[in-house]
Amino acid sequence: MPNCYKLARYIAPKMSNQLQTEAVVQRSMTDSKGSVIKVSHLTKRFVKGVKSAAVNDVTFEVGREIVALFGPSGCGKTTTLRCIAGLEKPDAGEITIGGKVVTSIEKGIFVPPEKRDIGLMFQSYALWPHMKVFDNVAYGLKVRKLPKDEIEKKVKSALQTVELTGYEKRYPAQLSGGQQQRVALARSLVYEPKVLLLDEPLSNLDAKVREKTRIELKSLLSRIGISTVYVTHDQEEAFVLSDRVIIMDSGSISQNDTPYNIYRHPANKFVASFIGRSNLVEGNIISVDSDETEGRAAKGVVRVLGNYDIECSFPSTLHAGEKCLVTVRANEVGLYPTEPTFAKTVQCTVVSRDYKGSMTDHMVKVGDTMLVVSTHRFCDLNKVEGEEELDRKHYLHIRGDSVSIVPFE
């Protein structure tokens, strides 16, 4: 049986009338904390008996929001999604959807995918090429044996939601990549699932189409208001689409927070180096104000690059005299061919330069430390052209509100 037909059994579950009624009731159910999805101490090993796990003691909750599972290849994000969907059986842990336990290894509960009332959208979209748009979207409802007039009503509503009214009679090959994605989304939404699970649905699109489709998808998901878990390895995609981002590394959660807090206040070295284009430099904490605001010190001073002091905010767990790591974002650093009078600077040397069109990357050396600094074409430095200007003195300025401090590892 072709893979697309196997996937259809998950996308379009066959449910009895009793189960349909139960799903409608449970759709409005959340636990006392407002969580639609609860994942507790989830562990999954693909090789029995080994210490390392693909997913290692993962715990998080999802309300009526969009949450991205984000991380490098092999971090466990897709395996976590597949466990929520019931496509993988974990070795330990519990999963609750809409107040109903669907997986509990301890209690011996494992509800099959077709009875979890979930919408799944895969990377390949899995559209039937021989079916028109209407029939692709209606497939799950026909499997459930809904009345013809109800199927037509639901399909029209789903296509209207994804702004594809008028495309009912087209075949997938007659659609753009973004339109095919919206057909797959309509098929996932047509039977009104409790949650929507998306596994890198934009990765097959080229860069320009992906950016446009990303904006459309964010608007659609926000308007629908369904609890969504979105797997991606693209940072911009995770930040743009999500209310909250869960960063995973080696099967565990490194940080679970809003995109802004993750970028401005990374929890550890991995997050600091993985998010954005960062330079991680060692620093020494000179002083820390004792006043704290929302778990972060009001201000402090860190010394980097020999004798360059930066006044910035600190995690409340760090103290004066300790070593730390300072995240210096490549695109948030001032670089000048002459010493400015308005800012404190440190001398540096531009070793190499990579022109990338909208911006230029400069490899900068301060003492024995190498940094990458990105500038756009309106920066003064970009008036300098040609290799003959390399290895000359420049000046680096690092603003205190542009750095993030993480514990030394």
Side-chain angles (χ1 to χ4, degrees):
M1 180 181 291
N3 287 336
C4 62
Y5 289 94
K6 292 180 180 178
L7 297 179
R9 296 187 180 275
Y10 302 127
I11 298 170
K14 183 177 181 180
M15 300 172 67
S16 65
N17 289 334
Q18 179 181 358
L19 284 174
Q20 290 181 45
T21 303
E22 180 184 349
V24 171
V25 173
Q26 290 179 348
R27 190 164 295 118
S28 62
M29 292 174 58
T30 57
D31 66 12
S32 59
K33 295 182 180 180
S35 299
V36 180
I37 303 172
K38 288 185 69 175
V39 177
S40 303
H41 304 291
L42 186 71
T43 297
K44 172 65 180 178
R45 289 182 173 86
F46 289 106
V47 180
K48 304 299 181 183
V50 300
K51 187 175 182 180
S52 60
V55 178
N56 186 20
D57 196 27
V58 164
T59 297
F60 65 90
E61 299 182 11
V62 180
R64 297 204 174 277
E65 57 185 336
I66 304 170
V67 174
L69 297 180
F70 173 52
S73 298
C75 70
K77 55 187 183 294
T78 295
T79 301
T80 300
L81 186 85
R82 289 176 63 83
C83 286
I84 296 173
L87 302 179
E88 297 284 355
K89 187 174 183 179
D91 297 295
E94 184 171 291
I95 300 171
T96 301
I97 298 177
K100 176 183 177 182
V101 177
V102 294
T103 297
S104 177
I105 303 305
E106 183 180 335
K107 299 174 183 176
I109 298 173
F110 187 76
V111 177
E114 65 270 22
K115 295 184 179 180
R116 294 194 178 203
D117 202 6
I118 55 176
L120 283 172
M121 187 170 167
F122 295 92
Q123 183 175 338
S124 63
Y125 305 154
L127 299 179
W128 286 270
H130 65 289
M131 289 186 184
K132 294 179 181 179
V133 167
F134 183 95
D135 297 319
N136 264 286
V137 177
Y139 180 85
L141 304 178
K142 291 178 180 178
V143 170
R144 293 184 180 189
K145 301 187 184 303
L146 266 65
K148 186 176 179 180
D149 58 343
E150 187 174 350
I151 290 176
E152 185 171 349
K153 180 181 178 181
K154 286 181 176 291
V155 171
K156 284 185 176 180
S157 176
L159 290 175
Q160 183 179 10
T161 298
V162 300
E163 300 177 350
L164 283 179
T165 300
Y167 288 78
E168 293 88 346
K169 295 183 180 181
R170 295 195 187 186
Y171 289 97
Q174 297 173 314
L175 303 175
S176 67
Q179 290 168 337
Q180 289 179 19
Q181 182 218 47
R182 282 187 275 163
V183 174
L185 181 60
R187 183 179 58 187
S188 299
L189 296 172
V190 72
Y191 56 94
E192 301 173 352
K194 291 190 195 76
V195 300
L196 184 62
L197 307 179
L198 307 177
D199 187 9
E200 305 203 48
L202 304 185
S203 61
N204 285 337
L205 305 177
D206 63 62
K208 287 191 175 181
V209 175
R210 185 166 64 244
E211 186 173 350
K212 180 178 183 294
T213 307
R214 179 193 302 153
I215 296 170
E216 294 174 352
L217 183 58
K218 178 180 175 65
S219 176
L220 283 170
L221 293 177
S222 298
R223 189 166 73 247
I224 294 165
I226 189 172
S227 300
T228 302
V229 179
Y230 190 105
V231 166
T232 181
H233 63 272
D234 185 299
Q235 179 193 317
E236 191 172 305
E237 198 170 291
F239 276 32
V240 168
L241 284 167
S242 307
D243 302 302
R244 194 155 45 86
V245 178
I246 296 175
I247 298 182
M248 298 187 67
D249 177 39
S250 301
S252 300
I253 293 176
S254 289
Q255 190 166 355
N256 179 353
D257 213 328
T258 63
Y260 177 84
N261 282 338
I262 286 174
Y263 188 85
R264 292 292 294 118
H265 307 302
N268 52 42
K269 179 181 178 180
F270 170 76
V271 177
S273 61
F274 188 67
I275 295 298
R277 302 182 66 232
S278 305
N279 302 283
L280 277 182
V281 298
E282 292 187 16
N284 293 294
I285 300 174
I286 304 303
S287 65
V288 177
D289 195 305
S290 59
D291 294 333
E292 296 180 7
T293 304
E294 296 183 359
R296 303 190 68 82
K299 62 180 179 179
V301 176
V302 62
R303 181 166 294 166
V304 297
L305 304 174
N307 199 32
Y308 189 77
D309 291 350
I310 305 172
E311 186 174 315
C312 55
S313 66
F314 284 81
S316 58
T317 54
L318 297 180
H319 306 90
E322 293 182 343
K323 278 189 172 184
C324 64
L325 291 173
V326 182
T327 305
V328 181
R329 305 287 182 190
N331 61 326
E332 297 180 0
V333 179
L335 186 60
Y336 309 96
T338 58
E339 186 172 9
T341 58
F342 58 85
K344 180 181 178 182
T345 61
V346 59
Q347 285 188 14
C348 64
T349 302
V350 178
V351 177
S352 64
R353 184 182 297 112
D354 294 322
Y355 176 70
K356 296 185 175 181
S358 62
M359 63 173 50
T360 302
D361 282 351
H362 309 268
M363 185 62 71
V364 172
K365 187 175 183 181
V366 183
D368 295 327
T369 303
M370 301 295 293
L371 304 173
V372 177
V373 178
S374 300
T375 61
H376 60 77
R377 68 189 184 93
F378 294 106
C379 175
D380 287 342
L381 182 64
N382 281 44
K383 293 178 181 178
V384 178
E385 298 180 2
E387 294 290 328
E388 70 279 3
E389 295 294 340
L390 297 177
D391 295 323
R392 57 164 285 188
K393 185 189 298 181
H394 286 77
Y395 297 88
L396 195 70
H397 171 55
I398 304 174
R399 292 169 52 105
D401 55 4
S402 70
V403 302
S404 302
I405 311 298
V406 297
F408 185 82
E409 296 179 26

